[in-house]
């Protein structure tokens, strides 16, 4: 039995047909974890869908209304880049409920992984890039509303910048969360990773970190608290140095009550939508690093999976399954 829970439902499946997003990955990750003995059935807990009220903590009423009534414009449907249906709406409400449950559970067990979610390209008033609802943002706002947390930090390691998350939390500052460091952060580049660029400004109760390939979707990247714009083809060592640097810089400036780790599998060298060169082993080291930092500072960490478009779906399943193994290693020790 794992020392933490895995949030999962068969209904996480996104009904989008043949698509570069392998919607069946969630079930395959679950099956892999059980068949390899990493987890057993009792480690999994089932989420409830988020309520409309939860969704409205982040998303605009007009947008939510359009989703519930199926009245997105043609252009809005196109921006989603996945075929709209009421079943799809339900799957996203469930993903948001899964993230809320994972966030809550992480406060009890120090870590919790939702085998889904991480839809970081969803904005308050529109969805894009396969993301309809920003489940992580909804979870943060729900836990804040319930007084379970005051502050949170997102650590987005998907190869694509977390534009929706950055926009949602840009410039939001609550009176209770004033911090001394609201000025633009200056971050030293890791000595052994001379390329790449780190930029950042922070003002708010949620601190957003995004490590992503600069030369990739989204074209326009709204500022996160810390953005690490990585050059093409960066490998394991450079990536891990940048991540280490961004985490220490972020945690010098900000003390989160919850860390939301968006563990995209698409920085992988064989990814069809990514241009970085991380290996499967490097991606596992990335997971271990995030978990070690969170554990050392006693910050609860909730995980969502975001993207992963490896040429062979099996690799995506391996990378995501390794995240559970990494958590098991770090949180059992
Ligand atoms: Zn991605």
């Amino acid at each position: 039995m794992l020392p933490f829970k895995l949030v999962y439902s068969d209904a996480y499946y996104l009904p989008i047909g043949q698509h570069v997003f392998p919607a069946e990955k969630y079930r395959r990750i679950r099956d892999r974890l059980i068949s390899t003995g990493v987890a057993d059935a009792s480690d999994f807990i089932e989420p409830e869908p988020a309520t409309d009220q939860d969704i409205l903590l982040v998303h605009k009423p007009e947008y939510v209304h359009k989703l519930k009534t199926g009245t997105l414009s043609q252009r809005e449907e196109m921006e989603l880049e996945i075929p709209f249906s009421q079943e799809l709406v339900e799957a996203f409400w469930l993903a948001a409920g899964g993230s809320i449950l994972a966030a809550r559970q992480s406060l009890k067990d120090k870590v919790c992984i939702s085998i889904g979610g991480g839809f970081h390209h969803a904005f308050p008033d529109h969805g894009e890039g396969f993301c309809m609802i920003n489940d992580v943002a909804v979870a943060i706002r729900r836990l804040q509303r319930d007084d379970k947390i005051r502050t949170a930090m997102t650590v987005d390691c998907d190869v694509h910048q977390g534009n929706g998350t950055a926009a949602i939390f840009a410039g939001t500052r609550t009176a209770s969360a004033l911090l001394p460091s609201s000025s633009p952060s200056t971050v030293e580049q890791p000595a052994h990773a001379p390329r790449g660029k780190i930029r950042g400004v922070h003002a708010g109760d949620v601190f957003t970190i995004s490590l992503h390939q600069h030369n990739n979707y989204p074209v326009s990247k709204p500022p996160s608290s810390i953005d690490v714009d990585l050059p093409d083809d960066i490998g394991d060592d450079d990536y891990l140095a940048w991540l280490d640097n961004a985490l220490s810089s972020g945690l010098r400036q900000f003390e989160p009550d919850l860390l939301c780790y968006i563990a995209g599998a698409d920085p992988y060298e064989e990814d069809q939508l990514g241009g970085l060169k991380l290996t499967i082993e490097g991606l596992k080291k990335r997971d271990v690093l995030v978990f070690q930092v969170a554990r050392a500072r006693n910050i609860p960490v909730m995980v969502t999976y975001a993207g992963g478009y490896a040429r062979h779906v099996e690799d995506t399943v391996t990378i995501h399954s390794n995240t559970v193994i990494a958590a098991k290693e770090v949180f059992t020790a």
Side-chain angles (χ1 to χ4, degrees):
M1 210 169 81
L2 292 169
F4 53 86
K5 294 294 178 195
L6 303 170
V7 177
Y8 172 80
S9 165
D10 286 337
Y12 270 178
Y13 176 81
L14 300 178
I16 54 177
Q18 275 293 337
H19 195 281
V20 68
F21 189 102
E24 75 280 12
K25 77 176 180 178
Y26 305 127
R27 185 187 48 75
R28 290 175 68 162
I29 295 162
R30 181 192 189 277
D31 292 351
R32 173 83 69 85
L33 291 170
I34 288 181
S35 69
T36 53
V38 172
D40 61 51
S42 66
D43 294 316
F44 291 86
I45 52 177
E46 280 246 5
E48 296 282 327
T51 65
D52 292 355
Q53 273 173 323
D54 295 333
I55 301 293
L56 288 164
L57 293 170
V58 168
H59 293 280
K60 297 275 185 226
E62 303 77 39
Y63 177 53
V64 173
H65 180 77
K66 283 183 196 170
L67 294 175
K68 303 277 283 186
T69 52
T71 50
L72 291 177
S73 70
Q74 221 173 7
R75 191 205 144 107
E76 287 169 324
E77 280 201 37
M78 263 175 51
E79 269 188 329
L80 268 181
E81 297 188 75
I82 41 177
F84 180 88
S85 65
Q86 270 324 305
E87 293 72 36
L88 188 68
V89 172
E90 284 165 28
F92 276 99
W93 256 244
L94 186 62
S99 290
I100 293 170
L101 178 58
R104 264 196 209 124
Q105 195 68 32
S106 73
L107 301 183
K108 292 183 194 151
D109 297 335
K110 299 292 172 202
V111 60
C112 184
I113 299 174
S114 180
I115 312 290
F119 297 109
H120 58 162
H121 301 311
F123 286 73
D125 64 349
H126 76 277
E128 59 177 67
F130 320 153
C131 302
M132 180 186 282
I133 292 294
N134 198 308
D135 52 288
V136 172
V138 170
I140 291 170
R141 289 303 188 217
R142 174 62 198 266
L143 265 70
Q144 287 179 324
R145 203 204 67 184
D146 294 346
D147 279 331
K148 302 273 189 214
I149 60 168
R150 270 195 325 118
T151 59
M153 174 179 282
T154 61
V155 177
D156 190 336
C157 290
D158 190 275
V159 80
H160 305 101
Q161 196 236 10
N163 55 345
T165 315
I168 288 166
F169 295 119
T172 57
R173 175 177 284 275
T174 61
S176 59
L178 286 169
L179 287 161
S181 54
S182 59
S183 57
S185 49
T186 48
V187 181
E188 294 296 316
Q189 292 200 134
H192 47 298
R195 301 171 303 154
K197 203 172 87 189
I198 207 160
R199 59 195 163 87
V201 60
H202 178 71
D205 56 349
V206 179
F207 193 102
T208 54
I209 297 178
S210 179
L211 253 84
H212 47 263
Q213 184 190 3
H214 175 66
N215 181 27
N216 203 328
Y217 171 90
V219 174
S220 153
K221 297 174 175 64
S224 311
S225 308
I226 294 179
D227 281 296
V228 184
D229 296 321
L230 297 168
D232 299 351
D233 298 329
I234 205 167
D236 292 344
D237 291 346
D238 282 351
Y239 185 95
L240 292 168
W242 281 108
L243 174 59
D244 193 21
N245 192 265
L247 283 170
S248 10
S249 169
L251 290 167
R252 263 198 308 273
Q253 300 176 56
F254 192 84
E255 278 185 37
D257 296 330
L258 172 70
L259 195 153
C260 303
Y261 175 37
I262 293 134
D266 48 13
Y268 178 44
E269 57 190 344
E270 293 290 323
D271 197 87
Q272 301 174 83
L273 301 185
L276 301 185
K277 291 268 189 288
L278 273 74
T279 64
I280 288 179
E281 297 71 39
L283 285 158
K284 189 179 170 205
K285 285 183 191 163
R286 171 196 74 168
D287 297 339
V288 166
L289 175 60
V290 174
F291 292 138
Q292 280 175 338
V293 166
R295 190 177 180 195
R297 292 169 185 259
N298 210 20
I299 306 165
V301 51
M302 65 87 87
V303 185
T304 53
Y305 275 160
Y309 316 93
R311 272 168 204 91
H312 305 288
V313 178
E314 279 308 299
D315 287 349
T316 298
V317 172
T318 300
I319 293 162
H320 286 317
S321 301
N322 282 347
T323 304
V324 177
I325 296 171
K328 187 177 185 175
E329 288 170 7
V330 171
F331 287 91
T332 303

